[in-house]
Amino acid sequence: MVTNHYDLLGIEQTAGPQEIKRAYFTLVRQYPPERFPEEFKRLRTAYETLSDEQRRAAYDKNGLLPEDIALLVQEARNACLHGKYSQALKLYRAILNRHPALAMIMKEYAMTLEKTGKKKEAMKTREALCELAPDNAEYTYDLAWAYEKRGWDRKALARYKRTLEIDGGSAASWSAIIDYHIKARKWEEARKVCAEAIEVVKEKDSGTLYLYSQAFSLEPTTASAEDHLKNIVRLMRSGRQEILNEGEMAVSHLLNFCLTAMPDEMRFFPYIEQMMELLPHARKGLDEPFREAKSRYDIENLDKDGFSDIFHDLLWIQLGGYDIDEDAKDDDHESAKNNKIAMECIILDERKTYFPQLLRLKKEYPHLYELHRTFFDEALSASNPEKMLRQRTKILSKHNLSFAGSQDVGGYGDEEDFPEPVQTVRREQPKVGRNDPCPCGSGKKYKKCCGA
């Protein structure tokens, strides 16, 4: 008597996608819909359920359990749900003692073993599961992942390749193989596999979007790089939730690339802006790296908007764009600091050139102005710019550096933009105190003679 979809199609529970497909079409030839409508309907339902990965998993989980263990399975799953893994293990072992070849239960048992730190036993269970179902891509992929987590890269690679042999491979399997070659620094092999993966998967899988992001990061300087980003944006515009979930991972990957790449690679940032617009729910988690990437992009394009190179260089140092990090040498930190002070001196010294641009920066690029707000605010509001300049030149002199400026610190540009400069009066003769002898030579005190 036929009791489930597997029996109806005449296949084992461990059958792979190709085997399910062959069994279905063989039976359809025996039971064509025009002659056997009811039989065909049952066959079609079984095929549609088992050929869809998610529907099959749900069916395996809830529709195939023998009556004598159904209650035990429910108790085991509830124990896992509440974090009672030791209790769940005892229940799973009791279930497998009665029915040692229940694939779904073996998978759940392996997962529970991993959560309790029994990784060796979990690995053996996954290997036994793959022996039981050698043509099941899901179980093979899970074993590959477990090998990779253990650091057994060669074994993991072999298993990932096996998933490709079984059903053409999911985008996740292809991506795992690509990552393996990247870790091994086999760049050409990684590019080759990535190109093949995109061609084979052909966007049937939401994971194709991540493949495009891998392809971009592998060849960011080639003509194809921009095409990969266009494809990511195009896929995300579909609005499918699984695509958008994958898109969030891709944007994170691309932001990381832009934040570690050379400045000239920031030309790709407008595509990331488009992706972020399509991911409003993801903005919170990606907002900080996005703001940093946007700052880098805008700094790189200041010159195109009429700003002097001085603002590009000063803001780039302030942002940390010259790789001055925790591992840098003390000399590198000191050099960056001195360069920044020297640039501040230039801005103070050549006010007619830079102050109008500084006002524009505050108005049009407030997020860049914030990067160095303390100096910018002080410079704009200073009543004595000469004093600010002298303070900085003294700091430079302590490091055996000098600043030879144009001495144009008094000029503020247009009168409507800036306050009148403070005029400094200098004495031509040395200062004479009121009780000092008068310089005229009379012998009297200065206050009773020429100073009267």
Side-chain angles (χ1 to χ4, degrees), residues 197-277:
I198 290 173
E199 182 62 27
V200 170
V201 178
K202 291 186 180 296
E203 299 181 11
K204 68 180 181 181
D205 190 324
S206 61
T208 312
L209 188 147
Y210 189 68
L211 288 175
Y212 280 129
S213 72
Q214 285 180 305
F216 167 78
S217 62
L218 285 167
E219 46 187 13
T221 59
T222 67
S224 303
E226 197 162 350
D227 291 335
H228 296 320
L229 295 181
K230 288 178 180 178
N231 281 320
I232 292 174
V233 173
R234 176 178 55 79
L235 285 173
M236 291 177 66
R237 290 195 189 284
S238 70
R240 288 165 50 195
Q241 190 56 52
E242 65 271 24
I243 292 286
L244 294 179
N245 291 341
E246 197 72 32
E248 188 172 339
M249 292 176 58
V251 171
S252 177
H253 182 76
L254 294 170
L255 279 172
N256 181 65
F257 171 81
C258 282
L259 292 174
T260 55
M262 295 299 291
D264 57 349
E265 302 302 344
M266 290 303 297
R267 67 184 186 277
F268 298 121
F269 183 74
Y271 291 102
I272 297 179
E273 283 190 300
Q274 294 179 55
M275 295 175 204
M276 289 291 284
E277 289 174 4

Coordinates of all heavy atoms in Angstrom, one line a residue, residues 197-277:
A197 N 30.3 29.8 -12.8 CA 29.2 29.7 -11.9 C 28.1 30.6 -12.4 O 26.9 30.2 -12.4 CB 29.6 30.1 -10.5
I198 N 28.4 31.8 -12.8 CA 27.4 32.8 -13.2 C 26.7 32.2 -14.5 O 25.5 32.3 -14.6 CB 28.0 34.1 -13.5 CG1 28.4 34.8 -12.2 CG2 27.1 35.0 -14.3 CD1 29.2 36.1 -12.3
E199 N 27.5 31.6 -15.4 CA 26.9 31.0 -16.6 C 26.0 29.8 -16.3 O 24.9 29.7 -16.9 CB 28.0 30.6 -17.5 CG 27.6 30.1 -18.9 CD 26.8 31.1 -19.7 OE1 27.0 32.3 -19.5 OE2 26.0 30.6 -20.5
V200 N 26.4 29.0 -15.4 CA 25.6 27.8 -15.1 C 24.4 28.1 -14.3 O 23.3 27.6 -14.6 CB 26.5 26.8 -14.3 CG1 25.7 25.6 -13.8 CG2 27.6 26.2 -15.2
V201 N 24.5 28.9 -13.2 CA 23.3 29.2 -12.4 C 22.3 30.0 -13.1 O 21.1 29.8 -13.0 CB 23.8 29.9 -11.1 CG1 22.6 30.3 -10.2 CG2 24.7 29.0 -10.3
K202 N 22.8 30.9 -14.0 CA 21.9 31.7 -14.8 C 20.7 32.4 -14.1 O 19.6 32.4 -14.5 CB 21.3 30.9 -16.0 CG 22.4 30.5 -17.0 CD 21.8 29.8 -18.2 CE 22.8 29.4 -19.2 NZ 23.5 30.6 -19.8
E203 N 21.0 32.9 -12.9 CA 20.0 33.7 -12.1 C 18.8 32.9 -11.7 O 17.8 33.4 -11.3 CB 19.6 34.9 -12.9 CG 20.8 35.8 -13.2 CD 20.4 37.1 -13.9 OE1 19.2 37.4 -14.0 OE2 21.3 37.8 -14.3
K204 N 18.9 31.5 -11.7 CA 17.8 30.7 -11.2 C 17.8 30.7 -9.7 O 16.8 30.3 -9.1 CB 17.9 29.3 -11.7 CG 19.0 28.5 -11.2 CD 19.1 27.1 -11.7 CE 20.3 26.3 -11.1 NZ 20.4 25.0 -11.7
D205 N 18.9 31.1 -9.1 CA 19.1 31.1 -7.7 C 19.3 32.5 -7.2 O 20.1 33.3 -7.8 CB 20.3 30.2 -7.4 CG 20.4 29.9 -5.9 OD1 20.1 30.8 -5.1 OD2 20.9 28.8 -5.6
S206 N 18.7 32.9 -6.1 CA 18.9 34.2 -5.5 C 20.4 34.5 -5.2 O 20.9 35.6 -5.2 CB 18.1 34.5 -4.3 OG 18.5 33.5 -3.3
G207 N 21.2 33.4 -5.0 CA 22.6 33.5 -4.7 C 23.4 34.0 -5.8 O 24.6 34.3 -5.6
T208 N 22.8 34.1 -7.0 CA 23.6 34.6 -8.1 C 24.0 36.0 -7.9 O 25.1 36.5 -8.3 CB 22.7 34.6 -9.4 OG1 22.1 33.4 -9.5 CG2 23.5 34.9 -10.6
L209 N 23.3 36.8 -7.1 CA 23.6 38.2 -6.8 C 24.9 38.2 -6.0 O 25.8 39.1 -6.3 CB 22.5 38.8 -5.9 CG 22.6 40.3 -5.7 CD1 21.2 40.9 -5.6 CD2 23.3 40.5 -4.4
Y210 N 25.1 37.3 -5.1 CA 26.4 37.3 -4.4 C 27.5 36.8 -5.3 O 28.7 37.3 -5.2 CB 26.3 36.3 -3.2 CG 27.5 36.4 -2.3 CD1 27.8 37.5 -1.5 CD2 28.4 35.3 -2.2 CE1 28.9 37.6 -0.7 CE2 29.6 35.4 -1.4 CZ 29.8 36.6 -0.6 OH 30.9 36.7 0.2
L211 N 27.2 36.0 -6.3 CA 28.3 35.6 -7.3 C 28.7 36.8 -8.0 O 29.9 37.0 -8.3 CB 27.7 34.5 -8.2 CG 27.5 33.1 -7.7 CD1 26.8 32.3 -8.7 CD2 28.8 32.5 -7.2
Y212 N 27.8 37.7 -8.4 CA 28.2 38.9 -9.1 C 29.1 39.8 -8.2 O 30.1 40.4 -8.7 CB 26.9 39.7 -9.5 CG 26.2 39.2 -10.7 CD1 24.9 39.0 -10.7 CD2 26.9 39.0 -11.9 CE1 24.2 38.5 -11.9 CE2 26.3 38.6 -13.0 CZ 24.9 38.3 -13.0 OH 24.3 37.9 -14.2
S213 N 28.8 39.8 -6.9 CA 29.6 40.7 -6.0 C 31.0 40.0 -5.9 O 32.0 40.8 -5.8 CB 29.0 40.8 -4.7 OG 29.0 39.6 -3.9
Q214 N 31.1 38.7 -5.9 CA 32.4 38.0 -5.9 C 33.2 38.3 -7.1 O 34.4 38.6 -7.1 CB 32.3 36.5 -5.7 CG 31.9 36.1 -4.3 CD 31.7 34.6 -4.2 OE1 31.0 34.0 -4.9 NE2 32.5 34.0 -3.3
A215 N 32.5 38.3 -8.3 CA 33.1 38.5 -9.6 C 33.7 40.0 -9.6 O 34.8 40.2 -10.1 CB 32.1 38.3 -10.7
F216 N 32.9 40.9 -9.0 CA 33.4 42.3 -9.0 C 34.7 42.4 -8.2 O 35.6 43.1 -8.6 CB 32.3 43.2 -8.4 CG 32.8 44.6 -8.0 CD1 32.9 45.5 -9.0 CD2 33.1 44.9 -6.7 CE1 33.4 46.8 -8.7 CE2 33.6 46.1 -6.4 CZ 33.7 47.1 -7.4
S217 N 34.7 41.8 -7.0 CA 35.8 42.0 -6.1 C 37.1 41.3 -6.7 O 38.2 41.7 -6.4 CB 35.5 41.5 -4.7 OG 35.3 40.1 -4.8
L218 N 36.9 40.3 -7.6 CA 38.0 39.6 -8.2 C 38.6 40.4 -9.4 O 39.7 40.1 -9.8 CB 37.6 38.2 -8.7 CG 37.4 37.2 -7.5 CD1 36.6 35.9 -8.1 CD2 38.7 36.8 -7.0
E219 N 37.8 41.2 -10.0 CA 38.3 42.0 -11.2 C 37.8 43.4 -11.2 O 37.2 43.9 -12.1 CB 37.9 41.3 -12.4 CG 36.4 40.8 -12.5 CD 36.1 40.0 -13.7 OE1 37.1 39.5 -14.4 OE2 34.9 39.8 -14.0
P220 N 38.1 44.2 -10.1 CA 37.6 45.6 -10.0 C 38.2 46.5 -11.0 O 37.6 47.6 -11.2 CB 37.9 45.9 -8.6 CG 39.1 45.1 -8.2 CD 38.9 43.8 -8.9
T221 N 39.3 46.2 -11.6 CA 40.0 47.1 -12.5 C 39.7 46.8 -14.0 O 40.2 47.5 -14.8 CB 41.5 47.1 -12.3 OG1 42.0 45.7 -12.5 CG2 41.9 47.5 -10.9
T222 N 38.9 45.8 -14.2 CA 38.6 45.4 -15.6 C 37.3 46.1 -16.1 O 36.5 46.6 -15.3 CB 38.4 43.9 -15.7 OG1 37.2 43.5 -15.0 CG2 39.6 43.1 -15.2
A223 N 37.1 46.0 -17.4 CA 35.9 46.6 -18.0 C 34.6 45.9 -17.5 O 33.5 46.4 -17.5 CB 36.0 46.5 -19.5
S224 N 34.7 44.6 -17.0 CA 33.6 43.9 -16.6 C 33.0 44.3 -15.2 O 31.9 44.0 -14.9 CB 33.9 42.4 -16.6 OG 34.3 41.9 -17.8
A225 N 33.9 45.0 -14.4 CA 33.5 45.3 -13.1 C 32.2 46.1 -13.0 O 31.3 45.8 -12.2 CB 34.7 46.1 -12.4
E226 N 32.1 47.1 -13.8 CA 30.9 47.9 -13.8 C 29.6 47.1 -14.2 O 28.5 47.3 -13.7 CB 31.0 49.1 -14.7 CG 30.0 50.2 -14.4 CD 30.5 51.6 -15.0 OE1 31.6 51.7 -15.4 OE2 29.6 52.5 -14.9
D227 N 29.8 46.2 -15.1 CA 28.7 45.3 -15.6 C 28.2 44.5 -14.4 O 27.0 44.2 -14.3 CB 29.1 44.4 -16.7 CG 29.4 45.2 -18.0 OD1 28.8 46.3 -18.1 OD2 30.1 44.7 -18.8
H228 N 29.1 44.0 -13.6 CA 28.7 43.1 -12.4 C 27.9 44.0 -11.5 O 26.8 43.5 -10.9 CB 29.9 42.6 -11.7 CG 30.8 41.7 -12.5 ND1 30.2 40.7 -13.3 CD2 32.1 41.5 -12.6 CE1 31.2 40.0 -13.9 NE2 32.3 40.5 -13.5
L229 N 28.2 45.2 -11.2 CA 27.5 46.1 -10.3 C 26.1 46.4 -10.9 O 25.1 46.4 -10.2 CB 28.2 47.4 -10.0 CG 29.5 47.2 -9.3 CD1 30.2 48.6 -9.0 CD2 29.3 46.5 -7.9
K230 N 26.0 46.6 -12.2 CA 24.8 46.9 -12.9 C 23.8 45.7 -12.7 O 22.6 45.8 -12.5 CB 25.0 47.2 -14.3 CG 25.6 48.6 -14.6 CD 25.8 48.8 -16.1 CE 26.5 50.1 -16.3 NZ 26.7 50.3 -17.8
N231 N 24.4 44.5 -12.8 CA 23.6 43.3 -12.7 C 23.0 43.1 -11.3 O 21.9 42.7 -11.0 CB 24.4 42.0 -13.0 CG 24.5 41.8 -14.5 OD1 23.5 42.1 -15.3 ND2 25.6 41.4 -15.0
I232 N 23.8 43.5 -10.3 CA 23.4 43.5 -8.9 C 22.2 44.4 -8.6 O 21.2 44.0 -8.1 CB 24.5 43.8 -7.9 CG1 25.6 42.7 -7.9 CG2 24.0 44.0 -6.5 CD1 26.8 43.0 -7.1
V233 N 22.3 45.6 -9.1 CA 21.3 46.6 -9.0 C 20.0 46.1 -9.7 O 18.9 46.2 -9.2 CB 21.7 48.0 -9.5 CG1 20.5 49.0 -9.6 CG2 22.8 48.6 -8.7
R234 N 20.2 45.6 -10.9 CA 19.1 45.1 -11.7 C 18.3 44.0 -11.0 O 17.1 44.0 -10.9 CB 19.5 44.6 -13.1 CG 18.5 43.9 -13.9 CD 19.0 43.5 -15.3 NE 20.1 42.6 -15.1 CZ 20.0 41.3 -14.8 NH1 18.9 40.8 -14.6 NH2 21.1 40.6 -14.7
L235 N 19.0 43.0 -10.4 CA 18.4 41.9 -9.6 C 17.7 42.5 -8.4 O 16.6 42.0 -8.1 CB 19.5 40.9 -9.2 CG 20.0 40.0 -10.3 CD1 21.1 39.2 -9.8 CD2 18.9 39.1 -10.8
M236 N 18.3 43.4 -7.7 CA 17.7 44.0 -6.5 C 16.4 44.7 -6.8 O 15.5 44.8 -6.0 CB 18.7 44.9 -5.8 CG 19.8 44.1 -5.2 SD 21.0 45.2 -4.3 CE 20.0 45.8 -3.0
R237 N 16.3 45.3 -8.0 CA 15.1 46.1 -8.4 C 13.9 45.2 -8.5 O 12.7 45.6 -8.6 CB 15.3 46.9 -9.6 CG 16.3 48.0 -9.4 CD 16.2 49.0 -10.6 NE 17.3 50.0 -10.5 CZ 17.3 51.1 -9.7 NH1 16.2 51.2 -8.9 NH2 18.3 51.9 -9.7
S238 N 14.1 43.9 -8.6 CA 13.0 42.9 -8.7 C 12.1 43.0 -7.5 O 10.9 42.6 -7.5 CB 13.5 41.5 -8.9 OG 14.1 41.0 -7.8
G239 N 12.7 43.3 -6.3 CA 12.0 43.5 -5.1 C 11.7 42.2 -4.4 O 11.1 42.2 -3.3
R240 N 12.2 41.0 -4.9 CA 11.9 39.8 -4.2 C 12.7 39.7 -2.9 O 13.9 40.1 -2.9 CB 12.4 38.6 -5.2 CG 11.5 38.4 -6.3 CD 12.2 37.5 -7.4 NE 12.7 36.3 -6.8 CZ 13.6 35.5 -7.4 NH1 14.0 35.8 -8.6 NH2 14.1 34.4 -6.8
Q241 N 12.1 39.3 -1.9 CA 12.7 39.3 -0.6 C 14.0 38.5 -0.5 O 14.9 39.0 0.1 CB 11.7 38.8 0.5 CG 12.2 39.1 1.9 CD 12.5 40.6 2.2 OE1 11.6 41.4 1.9 NE2 13.6 40.9 2.7
E242 N 14.0 37.3 -1.1 CA 15.2 36.5 -1.0 C 16.4 37.2 -1.8 O 17.5 37.1 -1.4 CB 15.0 35.1 -1.6 CG 14.6 35.1 -3.1 CD 13.2 35.2 -3.4 OE1 12.4 35.7 -2.5 OE2 12.7 34.7 -4.4
I243 N 16.0 38.0 -2.8 CA 17.0 38.7 -3.5 C 17.6 39.9 -2.7 O 18.8 40.1 -2.6 CB 16.5 39.3 -4.9 CG1 16.2 38.2 -5.9 CG2 17.5 40.3 -5.5 CD1 17.4 37.5 -6.5
L244 N 16.6 40.6 -2.0 CA 17.0 41.7 -1.1 C 17.9 41.2 0.1 O 18.8 41.9 0.5 CB 15.8 42.4 -0.6 CG 15.0 43.2 -1.7 CD1 13.8 43.8 -1.1 CD2 15.9 44.2 -2.5
N245 N 17.5 40.0 0.6 CA 18.3 39.5 1.7 C 19.8 39.2 1.2 O 20.7 39.5 1.9 CB 17.7 38.2 2.2 CG 16.4 38.4 2.9 OD1 16.1 39.5 3.4 ND2 15.6 37.4 3.1
E246 N 19.9 38.6 0.0 CA 21.2 38.4 -0.6 C 21.9 39.7 -0.9 O 23.1 39.9 -0.8 CB 21.0 37.6 -1.9 CG 22.3 36.9 -2.4 CD 22.7 35.7 -1.5 OE1 21.8 35.1 -0.9 OE2 23.9 35.5 -1.4
G247 N 21.0 40.7 -1.3 CA 21.6 42.0 -1.6 C 22.2 42.7 -0.4 O 23.2 43.4 -0.5
E248 N 21.7 42.5 0.8 CA 22.3 43.0 2.0 C 23.7 42.5 2.2 O 24.6 43.2 2.6 CB 21.4 42.7 3.2 CG 21.8 43.4 4.5 CD 20.8 43.2 5.6 OE1 19.6 42.9 5.3 OE2 21.2 43.4 6.7
M249 N 23.9 41.2 2.0 CA 25.2 40.6 2.1 C 26.1 41.2 1.1 O 27.3 41.5 1.3 CB 25.1 39.1 1.9 CG 24.4 38.4 3.1 SD 24.2 36.6 2.7 CE 26.0 36.1 2.6
A250 N 25.6 41.3 -0.2 CA 26.4 41.8 -1.3 C 26.9 43.3 -1.0 O 28.0 43.6 -1.2 CB 25.7 41.8 -2.6
V251 N 26.0 44.1 -0.5 CA 26.3 45.5 -0.2 C 27.4 45.6 0.9 O 28.3 46.4 0.8 CB 25.0 46.3 0.2 CG1 25.4 47.7 0.8 CG2 24.1 46.4 -0.9
S252 N 27.2 44.7 1.9 CA 28.2 44.7 3.0 C 29.6 44.3 2.4 O 30.6 44.9 2.8 CB 27.8 43.7 4.1 OG 28.8 43.5 5.1
H253 N 29.6 43.3 1.5 CA 30.8 42.9 0.8 C 31.4 44.0 0.0 O 32.6 44.2 0.1 CB 30.4 41.7 -0.1 CG 31.6 41.1 -0.8 ND1 32.5 40.2 -0.2 CD2 32.0 41.1 -2.1 CE1 33.4 39.8 -1.1 NE2 33.1 40.3 -2.2
L254 N 30.6 44.7 -0.7 CA 31.1 45.8 -1.6 C 31.5 47.0 -0.8 O 32.5 47.7 -1.1 CB 30.0 46.2 -2.6 CG 29.6 45.1 -3.6 CD1 28.3 45.6 -4.3 CD2 30.7 44.9 -4.6
L255 N 30.8 47.3 0.3 CA 31.3 48.4 1.2 C 32.7 48.1 1.8 O 33.5 49.0 1.8 CB 30.3 48.6 2.3 CG 29.0 49.5 2.0 CD1 28.1 49.4 3.1 CD2 29.4 50.9 1.6
N256 N 32.8 46.9 2.2 CA 34.1 46.5 2.7 C 35.2 46.6 1.7 O 36.3 47.1 2.0 CB 34.1 45.0 3.2 CG 35.4 44.6 3.8 OD1 35.9 45.1 4.8 ND2 36.1 43.6 3.1
F257 N 34.9 46.3 0.4 CA 35.9 46.5 -0.7 C 36.2 47.9 -0.8 O 37.4 48.3 -0.9 CB 35.3 45.9 -2.0 CG 36.2 46.2 -3.2 CD1 37.3 45.5 -3.4 CD2 35.9 47.3 -4.0 CE1 38.1 45.8 -4.5 CE2 36.7 47.6 -5.1 CZ 37.8 46.8 -5.3
C258 N 35.2 48.8 -0.9 CA 35.4 50.2 -1.1 C 36.2 50.9 0.0 O 37.0 51.8 -0.2 CB 34.1 50.9 -1.3 SG 33.4 50.7 -3.0
L259 N 36.0 50.4 1.2 CA 36.7 50.9 2.4 C 38.2 50.5 2.5 O 38.9 51.0 3.2 CB 36.0 50.6 3.6 CG 34.6 51.3 3.8 CD1 33.9 50.8 5.0 CD2 34.8 52.8 3.8
T260 N 38.5 49.4 1.7 CA 39.9 48.9 1.8 C 40.6 49.1 0.4 O 41.8 48.9 0.3 CB 39.9 47.4 2.1 OG1 39.1 46.7 1.2 CG2 39.4 47.2 3.5
A261 N 39.9 49.6 -0.6 CA 40.5 49.8 -1.9 C 41.2 51.1 -2.0 O 41.1 52.0 -1.1 CB 39.4 49.7 -3.0
M262 N 41.9 51.3 -3.1 CA 42.6 52.6 -3.3 C 41.5 53.6 -3.7 O 40.4 53.3 -4.2 CB 43.6 52.4 -4.5 CG 44.7 51.5 -4.2 SD 45.7 52.1 -2.8 CE 46.5 53.6 -3.6
P263 N 41.8 54.9 -3.5 CA 40.8 55.9 -3.7 C 40.2 55.9 -5.1 O 39.0 56.2 -5.3 CB 41.6 57.2 -3.5 CG 42.7 56.8 -2.5 CD 43.1 55.4 -2.9
D264 N 41.0 55.6 -6.1 CA 40.4 55.6 -7.5 C 39.4 54.6 -7.7 O 38.6 54.7 -8.7 CB 41.5 55.5 -8.5 CG 42.4 54.2 -8.4 OD1 42.2 53.5 -7.3 OD2 43.1 53.9 -9.3
E265 N 39.2 53.6 -6.8 CA 38.2 52.6 -7.0 C 36.8 53.1 -6.4 O 35.8 52.4 -6.5 CB 38.6 51.3 -6.3 CG 39.8 50.7 -6.8 CD 39.8 50.4 -8.3 OE1 38.7 50.3 -8.9 OE2 40.9 50.1 -8.8
M266 N 36.8 54.3 -5.8 CA 35.6 54.8 -5.3 C 34.7 55.3 -6.3 O 33.5 55.7 -6.1 CB 35.9 56.0 -4.3 CG 36.6 55.6 -3.0 SD 35.7 54.5 -2.0 CE 34.2 55.4 -1.7
R267 N 35.0 55.2 -7.6 CA 34.1 55.5 -8.7 C 32.9 54.6 -8.7 O 31.9 54.9 -9.3 CB 34.9 55.5 -10.0 CG 35.3 54.1 -10.4 CD 36.1 54.1 -11.7 NE 36.4 52.8 -12.3 CZ 37.4 52.0 -11.9 NH1 38.2 52.5 -10.9 NH2 37.6 50.9 -12.4
F268 N 33.0 53.5 -8.1 CA 31.9 52.5 -8.0 C 30.8 52.9 -7.0 O 29.8 52.2 -6.9 CB 32.4 51.1 -7.8 CG 33.3 50.6 -8.9 CD1 34.6 50.2 -8.5 CD2 32.9 50.5 -10.2 CE1 35.5 49.7 -9.5 CE2 33.8 50.1 -11.2 CZ 35.1 49.6 -10.8
F269 N 31.1 53.9 -6.2 CA 30.2 54.2 -5.0 C 28.8 54.5 -5.4 O 27.9 54.1 -4.7 CB 30.8 55.3 -4.2 CG 30.0 55.6 -2.9 CD1 30.0 54.7 -1.9 CD2 29.2 56.7 -2.9 CE1 29.2 54.9 -0.7 CE2 28.4 56.9 -1.8 CZ 28.4 56.0 -0.7
P270 N 28.6 55.2 -6.5 CA 27.2 55.5 -6.9 C 26.3 54.3 -7.0 O 25.1 54.3 -6.7 CB 27.3 56.2 -8.3 CG 28.6 56.9 -8.2 CD 29.5 55.9 -7.4
Y271 N 26.9 53.1 -7.4 CA 26.1 51.9 -7.5 C 25.7 51.4 -6.1 O 24.6 50.9 -5.9 CB 26.9 50.8 -8.2 CG 27.1 51.1 -9.7 CD1 28.3 51.6 -10.2 CD2 26.0 50.9 -10.6 CE1 28.5 51.8 -11.5 CE2 26.2 51.1 -11.9 CZ 27.4 51.6 -12.4 OH 27.6 51.9 -13.7
I272 N 26.6 51.6 -5.2 CA 26.3 51.2 -3.8 C 25.2 52.1 -3.2 O 24.3 51.6 -2.5 CB 27.6 51.3 -2.9 CG1 28.6 50.3 -3.4 CG2 27.2 51.0 -1.4 CD1 29.9 50.3 -2.6
E273 N 25.2 53.4 -3.6 CA 24.1 54.3 -3.2 C 22.8 53.8 -3.7 O 21.8 53.8 -3.0 CB 24.4 55.7 -3.7 CG 25.4 56.5 -2.9 CD 25.5 57.9 -3.3 OE1 25.8 58.2 -4.4 OE2 25.3 58.8 -2.4
Q274 N 22.7 53.3 -4.9 CA 21.5 52.8 -5.5 C 21.0 51.6 -4.7 O 19.8 51.4 -4.5 CB 21.7 52.4 -7.0 CG 22.0 53.6 -7.9 CD 22.2 53.2 -9.3 OE1 21.3 52.5 -9.9 NE2 23.3 53.6 -9.9
M275 N 22.0 50.7 -4.4 CA 21.6 49.5 -3.7 C 21.1 49.8 -2.3 O 20.1 49.2 -1.8 CB 22.9 48.6 -3.5 CG 23.4 48.1 -4.8 SD 25.0 47.1 -4.6 CE 25.7 47.3 -6.2
M276 N 21.7 50.8 -1.6 CA 21.2 51.2 -0.3 C 19.8 51.8 -0.3 O 19.0 51.6 0.6 CB 22.2 52.2 0.3 CG 23.5 51.6 0.7 SD 23.4 50.5 2.1 CE 23.2 51.7 3.5
E277 N 19.5 52.4 -1.4 CA 18.1 53.0 -1.6 C 17.1 51.8 -1.6 O 15.9 52.0 -1.2 CB 18.0 53.8 -2.8 CG 18.8 55.2 -2.7 CD 18.8 55.9 -4.0 OE1 18.1 55.4 -5.0 OE2 19.4 57.0 -4.1

